[in-house]
């Protein structure tokens, strides 16, 4: 779709006609050709969003009207499940079944914010004066730049689009340049659901070209970004000039701590999934396995055995359990990361080289990889690979497990496995990460806040706070019986 830029209710090409090919990371086939936005396009999209917001065309809708609209979008997503899943699978190389889980989660996100919108209302404050009423209202913050990554393309932008609409904001959406197809379809659904022209705008294209415009333009009130730490830092700097609100969902280097008294069958099974689901391209992936020393050998041996069994393949391969990395550039990054780990002294137990099978030769496939004998001084333990690489560390006491689990600049998520409930409570309290799973790994709920401590970001998505990000708070003080203040003498 070479007219994939959506501004003020119209589909258009890039200002200079530039286009970009989207190729399947599984086999290199062409899946789409989209407009490659220029700065002029980003500026036009911001203008449209600003005009729409200031006109009140949508921001003046009631909470219940906007909630009804979100519910309609959820219905449409469920109706178009097959289409949307196929688009997501085409761009990312993930299996159709995984893409369908994602679309179901996207619909659930819209339903969550539809429900939450209905719970909003003004709050009365006791003014202490009989003739004064005082209330707190909340209103949409204004124009939002919403920028998403490529690993869960539609889901991550839904966490932004749904609350932005619930709050009555207008927005410019920029999906990753690698995975724009589901964002394009979402715009069509928003249009069908009745979002007024100018409220929802889409620019497809590269962050390196339009990113700074979206994050520094004075007409933008909020930037909500999901992606890597370097980009997040740059966005904070760009947004600082006009004191925009910035919500950042960044990387993670997530500890998965297993004590010897845990249910090891379950812990091992989840450790494999936590590390290798979606080939490790998950911000909350359990990439740091932290084991109590006595169980190290048993757990590692079983994880290596399980890693070898994982079937890797393209979406068309119905027996595949996981797919490719997103791009050649990302594959190279993962390879370099691994080489650094080995050079630092980590022991490579399984995986470690690009998949050689002929049927995988045209894609960016990398196998589940385990690095043993790691510690927190190593690059491979501290930095995110965003690939299927699991590092293994050991501990000898609860205090040491906590220390290792917190020894990272990141703080997105983590898990603790033990049959001692008091211990799991102590450890979960001590871990400085935004989500902690006890005897589990991975689940999230739209009703629960998601986000990171430390360099994993600021603000929260989902839950209640995920709506608050998009709201301004206003105090309205009404004097129903005005009289002179008599603070200063009036000279009469
Ligand atoms: P990225 O390179 O930072 O890109 C994310 C988005 O930012 C893309 O749309 C990208 O556009 C855009 N961008 C690039 N340069 C920009 C600039 N100067 N200004 C504004 N936007 C710019 O991250 P990624 O590689 O797509 O995603 C992987 C990262 O996301 C990992 O670190 C992962 O942990 C994190 N992540 C976090 C969460 C969470 O919930 N905390 C969830 C998912 C992913 P282009 O695609 O055109 O470069």
């Amino acid at each position: 779709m070479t007219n994939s830029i959506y501004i003020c209710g119209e589909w258009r090409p890039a200002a200079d006609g530039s286009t970009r090919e989207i190729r399947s990371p599984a086999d290199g086939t062409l899946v789409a050709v989209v407009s490659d936005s220029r700065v002029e396009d980003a500026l036009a999209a911001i203008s449209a969003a600003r005009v729409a917001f200031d006109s009140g065309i949508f921001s003046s809708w009631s909470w219940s009207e906007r909630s009804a609209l979100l519910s309609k979008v959820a219905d449409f997503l469920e109706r178009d499940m097959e289409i949307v899943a196929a688009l997501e699978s085409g761009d990312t190389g993930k299996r159709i079944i995984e893409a369908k889980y994602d679309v179901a989660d996207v619909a659930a996100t819209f339903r969550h914010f539809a429900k939450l919108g209905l719970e909003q209302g003004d709050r009365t404050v006791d003014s202490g004066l009989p003739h004064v009423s005082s209330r707190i209202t909340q209103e949409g913050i204004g124009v939002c730049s919403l920028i998403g990554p490529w690993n869960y393309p539609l889901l991550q932008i839904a966490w932004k689009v749904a609350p932005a609409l619930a709050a009555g904001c207008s927005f410019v959406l920029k999906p990753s340049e690698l995975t724009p197809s589901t964002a394009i379809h979402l715009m069509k659904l928003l249009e069908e659901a009745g979002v007024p022209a100018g409220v929802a705008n889409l620019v497809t294209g590269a962050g390196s070209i339009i990113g700074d415009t979206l994050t520094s333009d004075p007409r933008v009130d909020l930037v909500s970004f999901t992606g890597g730490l370097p980009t997040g830092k740059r966005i904070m700097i760009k947004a600082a000039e006009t004191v925009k609100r910035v919500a950042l969902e960044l990387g993670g280097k997530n500890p998965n701590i297993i004590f010897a008294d845990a249910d090891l069958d379950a812990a091992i099974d989840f450790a494999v999934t936590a590390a290798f689901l979606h080939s490790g391209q998950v911000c909350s992936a359990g990439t740091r396995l932290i084991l109590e020393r006595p169980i190290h050998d048993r757990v590692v041996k079983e994880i290596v055995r399980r890693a070898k069994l994982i079937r890797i393949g393209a979406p068309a391969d119905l027996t595949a359990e996981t797919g490719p990395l997103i791009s050649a550039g990302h594959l190279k990054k993962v390879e370099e990361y691994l080489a650094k780990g080995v050079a630092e002294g980590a022991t490579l137990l399984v995986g470690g080289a690009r998949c050689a099978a002929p049927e995988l030769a045209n894609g960016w496939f990398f196998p589940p990889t385990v690095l043993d004998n790691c510690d927190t001084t190593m690059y491979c333990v501290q930095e995110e690979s965003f690939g299927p690489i699991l590092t293994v560390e050991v501990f000898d006491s609860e205090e040491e497990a906590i220390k290792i689990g917190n020894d990272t600049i990141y703080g997105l998520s983590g898990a603790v496995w033990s049959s001692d409930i008091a211990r799991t409570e102590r450890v979960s309290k001590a871990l400085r990460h935004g989500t902690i799973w006890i005897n589990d790994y991975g689940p999230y709920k739209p009703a629960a806040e998601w986000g990171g401590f430390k360099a994993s970001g600021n603000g929260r998505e989902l839950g209640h706070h995920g709506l608050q990000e998009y709201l301004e708070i206003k105090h309205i003080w009404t004097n129903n019986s005005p009289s002179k203040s008599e603070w200063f003498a009036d000279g009469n």
Side-chain angles (χ1 to χ4, degrees):
M1 185 182 183
T2 47
N3 282 6
S4 67
I5 297 171
Y6 184 70
I7 298 175
C8 209
E10 284 181 0
W11 292 96
R12 36 162 121 170
D16 65 354
S18 294
T19 57
R20 168 180 293 271
E21 290 185 346
I22 307 301
R23 291 191 173 272
S24 163
D27 57 16
T29 52
L30 185 66
V31 292
V33 179
V34 299
S35 315
D36 200 9
S37 298
R38 306 290 100 185
V39 167
E40 299 93 296
D41 301 311
L43 290 170
I46 294 168
S47 298
R50 188 75 257 169
V51 168
F53 184 79
D54 293 342
S55 73
I57 194 171
F58 182 65
S59 51
S60 63
W61 286 23
S62 68
W63 282 105
S64 61
E65 285 169 327
R66 295 195 298 260
S67 286
L69 181 135
L70 292 189
S71 298
K72 251 195 223 175
V73 177
D75 292 344
F76 294 162
L77 282 159
E78 283 160 1
R79 179 197 69 195
D80 288 3
M81 169 79 77
E82 299 287 338
I83 299 167
V84 182
L87 290 170
E88 198 76 305
S89 172
D91 282 4
T92 61
K94 67 171 69 174
R95 298 177 304 154
I96 290 282
I97 184 78
E98 283 184 48
K100 282 187 182 170
Y101 291 143
D102 294 353
V103 182
D105 283 359
V106 172
T109 301
F110 275 86
R111 292 207 191 285
H112 163 67
F113 285 107
K115 181 166 174 279
L116 195 60
L118 294 176
E119 294 166 13
Q120 306 303 307
D122 291 357
R123 178 165 59 91
T124 304
V125 175
D126 181 2
S127 69
L129 298 167
H131 59 287
V132 169
S133 60
S134 166
R135 72 182 203 277
I136 306 298
T137 68
Q138 301 196 90
E139 56 194 52
I141 190 170
V143 172
C144 309
S145 286
L146 310 179
I147 303 172
W150 45 259
N151 60 336
Y152 288 89
L154 187 60
L155 185 60
Q156 299 294 175
I157 59 179
W159 291 9
K160 305 177 189 308
V161 168
L165 290 175
C169 295
S170 298
F171 64 80
V172 180
L173 173 64
K174 195 206 91 61
S176 166
E177 65 184 273
L178 301 170
T179 55
S181 300
T182 47
I184 294 169
H185 194 81
L186 179 64
M187 287 300 122
K188 293 177 187 167
L189 299 187
L190 296 185
E191 192 175 34
E192 186 184 351
V195 174
V199 171
N201 304 277
L202 171 72
V203 282
T204 50
S208 56
I209 297 174
I210 54 174
D212 287 354
T213 304
L214 295 175
T215 55
S216 63
D217 191 291
R219 295 167 296 171
V220 172
D221 300 294
L222 169 146
V223 182
S224 178
F225 168 79
T226 301
L229 178 57
T231 319
K233 285 181 184 173
R234 184 184 175 97
I235 287 172
M236 268 193 128
I237 292 166
K238 291 285 165 195
E241 204 139 315
T242 46
V243 200
K244 299 184 197 315
R245 191 179 296 173
V246 178
L248 301 174
E249 293 292 339
L250 307 176
K253 196 66 197 171
N254 313 292
N256 186 11
I257 299 171
I258 307 180
F259 284 87
D261 64 355
D263 175 338
L264 288 189
D265 285 346
I268 290 168
D269 186 62
F270 272 91
V272 171
T273 311
F276 303 130
L277 176 82
H278 196 17
S279 290
Q281 301 168 116
V282 181
C283 54
S284 54
T287 49
R288 295 181 63 200
L289 188 61
I290 301 171
L291 300 174
E292 196 163 11
R293 196 176 299 276
I295 56 168
H296 168 272
D297 292 359
R298 174 180 164 194
V299 172
V300 169
K301 189 171 165 215
E302 182 59 9
I303 285 179
V304 168
R305 187 186 74 78
R306 293 279 308 270
K308 287 179 185 162
L309 295 177
I310 293 175
R311 288 194 47 87
I312 303 166
D317 175 357
L318 297 181
T319 66
E321 294 172 307
T322 190
L325 298 179
I326 190 70
S327 65
H330 189 47
L331 174 65
K332 187 161 175 279
K333 197 182 132 203
V334 169
E335 286 172 336
E336 286 169 359
Y337 173 99
L338 179 68
K340 261 192 193 170
V342 172
E344 280 177 310
T347 311
L348 175 63
L349 296 181
V350 65
R354 184 178 173 179
C355 299
E359 68 275 17
L360 303 180
N362 294 327
W364 316 118
F365 294 93
F366 199 86
T369 295
V370 178
L371 288 177
D372 198 5
N373 298 317
C374 296
D375 65 59
T376 53
T377 64
M378 292 174 165
Y379 178 87
C380 62
V381 169
Q382 291 298 334
E383 295 300 326
E384 195 186 29
S385 76
F386 222 51
I389 300 181
L390 178 66
T391 61
V392 184
E393 301 160 77
V394 289
F395 65 89
D396 291 302
S397 67
E398 185 177 312
E399 294 67 33
E400 195 187 5
I402 292 166
K403 189 163 177 284
I404 292 173
N406 281 336
D407 190 353
T408 161
I409 60 165
Y410 293 108
L412 187 60
S413 63
V416 52
W417 294 80
S418 168
S419 54
D420 179 342
I421 299 305
R423 168 151 66 196
T424 59
E425 286 301 318
R426 284 192 303 274
V427 175
S428 63
K429 193 158 185 283
L431 287 175
R432 303 218 2 103
H433 298 265
T435 295
I436 303 294
W437 295 288
I438 295 175
N439 294 326
D440 210 330
Y441 202 104
Y444 80 96
K445 285 281 167 197
E449 274 74 1
W450 178 264
F453 284 31
K454 303 193 280 181
S456 287
N458 58 34
R460 289 292 181 273
E461 295 197 296
L462 302 178
H464 285 232
H465 198 88
L467 177 59
Q468 293 301 319
E469 294 280 14
Y470 294 85
L471 293 169
E472 277 290 15
I473 296 171
K474 188 179 279 175
H475 176 201
I476 298 180
W477 173 278
T478 308
N479 189 335
N480 296 306
S481 177
S483 59
K484 285 182 171 182
S485 78
E486 296 177 349
W487 186 274
F488 292 112
D490 65 7
N492 291 325

Coordinates of all heavy atoms in Angstrom, one line a residue, residues 254-258 267 270-272 274 286-291 414-417 440-441:
N254 N 16.0 -9.5 32.5 CA 15.1 -9.9 33.5 C 15.6 -11.2 34.2 O 15.8 -12.2 33.6 CB 13.7 -10.1 32.9 CG 13.3 -9.0 32.0 OD1 13.1 -7.9 32.5 ND2 13.3 -9.2 30.7
P255 N 15.7 -11.1 35.6 CA 16.2 -12.3 36.3 C 15.1 -13.3 36.6 O 14.0 -12.9 36.9 CB 16.6 -11.6 37.7 CG 15.8 -10.4 37.8 CD 15.5 -9.9 36.4
N256 N 15.4 -14.5 36.4 CA 14.5 -15.6 36.7 C 15.3 -16.5 37.7 O 16.2 -17.2 37.4 CB 14.3 -16.4 35.4 CG 13.2 -17.5 35.6 OD1 12.5 -17.6 36.6 ND2 13.1 -18.4 34.6
I257 N 14.8 -16.3 39.0 CA 15.6 -16.9 40.1 C 14.9 -18.2 40.6 O 13.7 -18.2 40.9 CB 15.6 -15.9 41.3 CG1 16.3 -14.6 40.9 CG2 16.3 -16.5 42.5 CD1 16.2 -13.4 41.9
I258 N 15.7 -19.3 40.6 CA 15.1 -20.5 41.0 C 15.8 -21.1 42.3 O 17.1 -21.3 42.2 CB 15.2 -21.6 39.9 CG1 14.6 -21.0 38.6 CG2 14.5 -22.9 40.3 CD1 14.6 -22.0 37.4
A267 N 9.4 -25.1 37.0 CA 10.4 -24.0 36.8 C 11.3 -24.1 35.6 O 11.5 -23.1 34.8 CB 11.3 -23.9 38.1
F270 N 9.1 -23.4 32.4 CA 8.9 -21.9 32.2 C 10.2 -21.2 31.9 O 10.2 -20.2 31.2 CB 8.2 -21.3 33.5 CG 6.7 -21.4 33.4 CD1 6.0 -22.5 34.0 CD2 6.0 -20.4 32.8 CE1 4.7 -22.6 33.9 CE2 4.6 -20.5 32.7 CZ 3.9 -21.6 33.3
A271 N 11.3 -21.7 32.4 CA 12.6 -21.0 32.1 C 12.8 -21.1 30.6 O 13.4 -20.2 30.0 CB 13.7 -21.7 32.9
V272 N 12.5 -22.3 30.0 CA 12.7 -22.5 28.6 C 11.8 -21.5 27.8 O 12.3 -20.8 26.9 CB 12.4 -24.0 28.2 CG1 12.4 -24.1 26.7 CG2 13.4 -24.9 28.8
A274 N 10.4 -18.7 28.9 CA 10.7 -17.4 29.2 C 11.9 -16.9 28.4 O 11.9 -15.7 27.9 CB 11.1 -17.2 30.7
G286 N 12.9 -13.9 30.0 CA 13.7 -14.3 31.2 C 15.1 -14.8 30.7 O 15.4 -15.9 30.7
T287 N 15.9 -13.8 30.4 CA 17.2 -14.1 29.8 C 18.3 -14.3 30.8 O 19.4 -14.7 30.4 CB 17.7 -12.9 28.9 OG1 17.5 -11.7 29.7 CG2 16.8 -12.8 27.6
R288 N 18.0 -14.0 32.1 CA 19.1 -14.3 33.1 C 18.5 -15.4 34.1 O 17.7 -15.1 34.9 CB 19.3 -13.0 33.9 CG 19.9 -11.9 33.2 CD 20.2 -10.7 34.1 NE 21.1 -11.0 35.1 CZ 21.3 -10.4 36.3 NH1 20.5 -9.3 36.5 NH2 22.2 -10.7 37.1
L289 N 19.1 -16.6 33.9 CA 18.7 -17.7 34.8 C 19.6 -17.7 36.0 O 20.8 -17.8 35.8 CB 18.7 -19.0 34.0 CG 18.2 -20.2 34.7 CD1 16.7 -20.0 35.0 CD2 18.4 -21.5 33.9
I290 N 19.0 -17.6 37.2 CA 19.8 -17.4 38.4 C 19.5 -18.6 39.3 O 18.4 -18.6 39.9 CB 19.6 -16.0 39.0 CG1 19.9 -14.9 38.0 CG2 20.4 -15.9 40.3 CD1 19.5 -13.5 38.4
L291 N 20.4 -19.5 39.5 CA 20.1 -20.8 40.1 C 20.8 -21.0 41.4 O 22.0 -20.7 41.5 CB 20.5 -22.0 39.2 CG 19.9 -22.0 37.8 CD1 20.6 -23.1 36.9 CD2 18.4 -22.2 37.9
G414 N 10.8 -9.8 36.5 CA 11.6 -10.9 37.0 C 10.7 -11.9 37.7 O 9.5 -11.7 37.9
A415 N 11.3 -13.1 38.0 CA 10.5 -14.2 38.6 C 11.3 -14.8 39.8 O 12.6 -14.8 39.7 CB 10.2 -15.2 37.6
V416 N 10.6 -15.3 40.7 CA 11.2 -16.1 41.8 C 10.4 -17.4 42.0 O 9.2 -17.4 42.0 CB 11.3 -15.3 43.1 CG1 10.0 -14.7 43.5 CG2 11.9 -16.2 44.2
W417 N 11.2 -18.5 42.0 CA 10.6 -19.8 42.2 C 11.1 -20.5 43.5 O 12.3 -20.6 43.7 CB 11.0 -20.7 41.0 CG 10.5 -20.3 39.7 CD1 11.0 -19.3 38.9 CD2 9.4 -20.9 39.0 NE1 10.3 -19.2 37.7 CE2 9.3 -20.2 37.8 CE3 8.5 -21.9 39.3 CZ2 8.3 -20.4 36.8 CZ3 7.5 -22.2 38.3 CH2 7.4 -21.5 37.1
D440 N 5.9 -18.6 38.5 CA 5.3 -18.5 37.2 C 6.2 -17.6 36.3 O 7.2 -17.0 36.9 CB 3.9 -17.8 37.3 CG 2.9 -18.2 36.2 OD1 3.4 -18.5 35.1 OD2 1.7 -18.2 36.5
Y441 N 6.0 -17.5 35.0 CA 6.7 -16.5 34.3 C 5.9 -16.0 33.1 O 5.4 -16.8 32.3 CB 8.1 -17.1 33.7 CG 9.0 -16.0 33.4 CD1 10.1 -15.7 34.3 CD2 8.8 -15.1 32.3 CE1 10.9 -14.6 34.0 CE2 9.7 -14.1 32.1 CZ 10.7 -13.8 32.9 OH 11.6 -12.8 32.7

